[in-house]
Amino acid sequence: MPSSQSWLAIASLALECALPALAFPQASSSPEASHSYLSFQYTPVTSDVYATALPSSLSFPTPFAPSFREASTLLPDSLTTTTYSYNPTITQSPDGQYGQSAYAALWKDYSYTTTPPFTNTVSPTPVAKSELVFPPQLYNAPPDTGYRLPKDFIWGVSSSAWQIEGALQLEGRGPGKLDELGNALSSETGNLNDSNVANMHYFLYKQDIARLAAIGIPYYSFSISWSRIVPFGVAGSPINKQGLDHYDDLINTCLEYGVTPIVTLNHADMPPSVIEDIDSLRSHFLYYAQIAMAHYADRVPYWVTFNEPNIAPGLMLPSYGDLTQLLLAHADVYRWYKDTLRGTGQITLKFAHNLGVPQDLNDATHHAAASRYQSFILDIMANPLFLGKQYPKETLNTNTNGTLLSPLTDAQIAHIHHTVDFWSFDPYTAQFVSPLTHEDQESCHTNTSHPSWPTCVSLTNIQSNGWAMGQASNAYAYITPQYVRQQLGYIWNTFRPSGILIAEYGFNPFEESKRSESAQRYDFERTLYYQDFLTETMKAREQDGVNVIGALAWSLQDNNEFGSYGEQYGLQGVNRTDGKFTRVYKRSIFDYVGFFHRYVGE
């Protein structure tokens, strides 16, 4: 072996030979940096900025419908209003079909392990100034595009009754379909909950509205519990006065604090008695809707009939065939509101939808799979509502719970068509679509228990190259701003609505519920989700010509995501151990408000 001196000589010679061939950067001709020492002192990099509250009250120049005094003449003559009090020990007595013992019997198969810690409406207290200070400025906020949103842009937050109210058996409420899910949770362990407590919004609504107003959020979308208004659910049964009074005050509280209410009539909690008599859904739903609208429509500018019914078959509806009844029920309410009540507000129906993108854009079979997916998720209801067209042929030729979906008649299509004033949907994320294998597809079409039924396509959030399409949440949502414009463009150009409302969108960071309180409060990923989503939404408006009229974040606060407290989508946290259910603003709600204050025109 050569000596160390020999190796050194060889290395030096090699370096000399190589130097001329290397492309070393030339020395800069600019002056050298000047370095000096100074007396160090700390420099402020942030200052306290506080949220701007809404004006103290809100009134509309013209009511959106006649007052209840006038509208009451449009209700059935046989209508009776009463109050119920749940007594689990009461025995059946001859007090009539809708007496107190009959009301108690509604709850005979339900048993909850949680008990509401208080049973009266809590008076609101002013939000402390210390709660309203903005977090450190978002260093990597998207650059200003120069685009602006119109001053009438509808922005705010959303919630639903069953997921936040609690007090399921109090003040005359009857059972709802989702109560069966809570009832199945036999014990309160970890993040599970049966919703008998939830967020106690039923008694804390005044404080919740005050908190929205204090931080400057102008719109609040919430749902009414059908069975709080009509405990027995069905047409002709008594109306619960306590339920009527509660939502009347909820709406008035919104207006008192300057918050515009958006009301959903049914958010997945249809009374079981109605589901058992689904062929009469039209009469049951119209009865309930007439009562709610007659009482509240003078103060409510926006109504939603049903939430996400396009994914309800097999979940909230017995079968796909029942979608016809639901579409007709929606149309009945729309036409009663417009033609009989003479309401001037706007009505819609809200879709669930995560864009289906062909996994391989160069493969025609992937495009066909994406088309089939959209047919079952969107076209099945949007065709008759927006285009005046028949159900897609794919849905008519697929086994749906043992029966084929019957085509709509021409009269039914005419009744349904044009009964939405704008498009409303919940586009949380996107996903890739590809066909199943031939054998698996054939099995899926005839097997309603197949995991891919009824769309019978493959769905994934992983690209063909193995990378996830974006940052994953704790559930199905992903941070995928690159698909927002395609999502909006697909809806706009396919169904051609007058406008599009993003009625729900949100992100639940991975295992956020297991983090410390301060870590949950600094929910940076949720902020990124909203900032990026909204930036792309503005591009869709300005560059693509899509009329997006609003965006409502899910959710008002961490809530019961269908049996679990662990799936946290809230812009506010909830302390479930202090006995008061204290709410806490997260970082994302400040960044959310800041975005709109920056971009919504004066």
Side-chain angles (χ1 to χ4, degrees):
M1 293 180 63
S3 66
S4 59
Q5 290 86 353
S6 299
W7 278 116
L8 182 59
I10 294 171
S12 299
L13 180 60
L15 181 59
E16 290 175 6
C17 294
L19 277 173
L22 294 178
F24 286 112
Q26 299 297 311
S28 174
S29 60
S30 61
E32 293 185 1
S34 176
H35 302 288
S36 62
Y37 297 102
L38 301 171
S39 296
F40 174 78
Q41 61 181 4
Y42 292 102
T43 304
V45 295
T46 186
S47 60
D48 287 350
V49 177
Y50 295 90
T52 302
L54 297 176
S56 59
S57 64
L58 175 66
S59 61
F60 302 108
T62 305
F64 297 101
S67 67
F68 176 65
R69 181 187 296 274
E70 299 173 71
S72 61
T73 62
L74 304 174
L75 298 178
D77 294 335
S78 58
L79 188 70
T80 59
T81 302
T82 188
T83 58
Y84 289 107
S85 178
Y86 176 56
N87 180 358
T89 64
I90 196 171
T91 57
Q92 190 71 32
S93 60
D95 57 359
Q97 181 182 6
Y98 299 121
Q100 292 290 340
S101 64
Y103 171 73
L106 292 175
W107 291 105
K108 65 182 178 64
D109 295 326
Y110 297 83
S111 177
Y112 296 105
T113 59
T114 58
T115 303
F118 42 86
T119 57
N120 292 297
T121 299
V122 176
S123 297
T125 57
V127 179
K129 185 177 181 180
S130 60
E131 286 193 71
L132 296 170
V133 61
F134 270 72
Q137 185 175 357
L138 188 63
Y139 183 77
N140 58 341
D144 192 333
T145 59
Y147 302 142
R148 293 295 180 267
L149 298 167
K151 63 181 181 180
D152 60 351
F153 195 78
I154 301 166
W155 68 273
V157 296
S158 299
S159 73
S160 83
W162 188 80
Q163 293 180 270
I164 64 173
E165 282 188 349
L168 300 183
Q169 296 174 317
L170 297 178
E171 298 199 351
R173 179 185 178 277
K177 175 65 177 178
L178 288 174
D179 294 347
E180 298 173 5
L181 171 62
N183 190 53
L185 300 172
S186 59
S187 64
E188 180 81 3
T189 58
N191 285 323
L192 294 179
N193 85 94
D194 58 20
S195 215
N196 199 32
V197 170
N199 290 7
M200 293 300 292
H201 178 75
Y202 187 77
F203 296 118
L204 290 171
Y205 65 91
K206 290 181 180 289
Q207 188 67 47
D208 285 335
I209 301 305
R211 291 181 64 81
L212 289 181
I215 204 167
I217 292 181
Y219 286 86
Y220 177 38
S221 175
F222 60 88
S223 72
I224 294 175
S225 168
W226 182 338
S227 54
R228 280 202 193 275
I229 303 297
V230 189
F232 288 83
V234 298
S237 60
I239 306 308
N240 175 35
K241 184 178 186 305
Q242 289 176 294
L244 283 175
D245 292 346
H246 170 78
Y247 292 110
D248 187 68
D249 195 55
L250 172 56
I251 291 168
N252 286 341
T253 301
C254 285
L255 300 179
E256 176 188 349
Y257 280 96
V259 176
T260 300
I262 300 172
V263 178
T264 297
L265 289 169
N266 181 242
H267 190 115
D269 56 354
M270 196 178 293
S273 56
V274 175
I275 296 174
E276 292 166 4
D277 187 26
I278 202 68
D279 289 342
S280 300
L281 173 62
R282 295 176 69 178
S283 62
H284 299 322
F285 186 61
L286 181 61
Y287 177 75
Y288 156 57
Q290 287 174 336
I291 293 161
M293 288 176 160
H295 280 83
Y296 313 136
D298 58 329
R299 291 155 286 158
V300 175
Y302 303 101
W303 291 89
V304 181
T305 53
F306 293 100
N307 173 78
E308 300 185 349
N310 57 319
I311 58 171
L315 297 173
M316 302 304 162
L317 293 174
S319 74
Y320 262 87
D322 301 316
L323 282 176
T324 298
Q325 283 292 322
L326 190 142
L327 280 167
L328 293 170
H330 159 83
D332 290 345
V333 170
Y334 181 94
R335 297 190 183 283
W336 182 85
Y337 175 85
K338 298 285 187 176
D339 301 336
T340 304
L341 185 62
R342 300 292 182 182
T344 60
Q346 297 186 62
I347 300 182
T348 189
L349 176 151
K350 184 152 70 84
F351 295 101
H353 189 238
N354 295 319
L355 181 67
V357 181
Q359 177 92 65
D360 184 348
L361 292 176
N362 297 314
D363 190 324
T365 65
H366 288 232
H367 282 268
S371 177
R372 178 180 173 83
Y373 168 79
Q374 308 290 12
S375 291
F376 277 90
I377 300 301
L378 284 187
D379 302 8
I380 195 170
M381 298 189 75
N383 269 11
L385 282 167
F386 287 89
L387 304 178
K389 293 173 56 177
Q390 183 60 261
Y391 291 136
K393 64 179 184 303
E394 295 93 338
T395 66
L396 293 171
N397 295 331
T398 296
N399 183 312
T400 53
N401 288 8
T403 61
L404 292 178
L405 179 64
S406 299
L408 294 166
T409 66
D410 290 343
Q412 288 173 330
I413 293 174
H415 185 63
I416 294 166
H417 191 207
H418 294 314
T419 58
V420 276
D421 293 320
F422 57 90
W423 180 281
S424 177
F425 77 143
D426 305 340
Y428 282 80
T429 187
Q431 55 202 328
F432 298 115
V433 187
S434 59
L436 299 175
T437 64
H438 178 74
E439 294 77 10
D440 202 17
Q441 193 170 67
E442 289 300 311
S443 170
C444 180
H445 288 170
T446 58
N447 180 10
T448 59
S449 62
H450 191 286
S452 297
W453 183 89
T455 62
C456 296
V457 297
S458 176
L459 301 174
T460 182
N461 295 99
I462 306 301
Q463 299 178 164
S464 297
N465 60 15
W467 280 99
M469 61 174 14
Q471 174 64 39
S473 70
N474 202 56
Y476 64 85
Y478 280 70
I479 300 177
T480 54
Q482 66 272 30
Y483 291 105
V484 169
R485 288 171 64 183
Q486 291 190 49
Q487 169 84 287
L488 294 169
Y490 178 85
I491 300 301
W492 181 250
N493 293 297
T494 302
F495 301 107
R496 308 199 168 189
S498 62
I500 296 176
L501 175 69
I502 300 166
E504 284 183 29
Y505 64 130
F507 189 80
N508 58 336
F510 182 69
E511 294 192 343
E512 183 183 76
S513 64
K514 296 181 180 180
R515 302 174 187 176
S516 67
E517 181 179 333
S518 60
Q520 290 186 42
R521 189 180 177 207
Y522 203 98
D523 56 340
F524 184 61
E525 286 174 297
R526 187 175 285 112
T527 278
L528 291 181
Y529 174 92
Y530 284 120
Q531 296 277 328
D532 291 347
F533 197 114
L534 290 168
T535 297
E536 293 303 303
T537 297
M538 289 197 300
K539 292 178 183 177
R541 280 180 52 89
E542 298 294 332
Q543 297 182 29
D544 307 331
V546 179
N547 184 28
V548 183
I549 63 173
L552 302 166
W554 185 270
S555 173
L556 166 70
Q557 55 204 204
D558 293 334
N559 54 39
N560 175 7
E561 283 295 331
F562 306 106
S564 172
Y565 288 137
E567 300 295 339
Q568 296 188 172
Y569 283 91
L571 294 166
Q572 298 179 76
V574 178
N575 187 326
R576 305 185 190 283
T577 61
D578 67 354
K580 300 178 181 178
F581 286 75
T582 302
R583 282 60 161 135
V584 178
Y585 295 125
K586 298 180 185 178
R587 161 160 205 141
S588 59
I589 200 169
F590 290 94
D591 293 328
Y592 192 68
V593 168
F595 185 96
F596 287 108
H597 284 185
R598 183 182 186 188
Y599 289 109
V600 172
E602 296 297 329

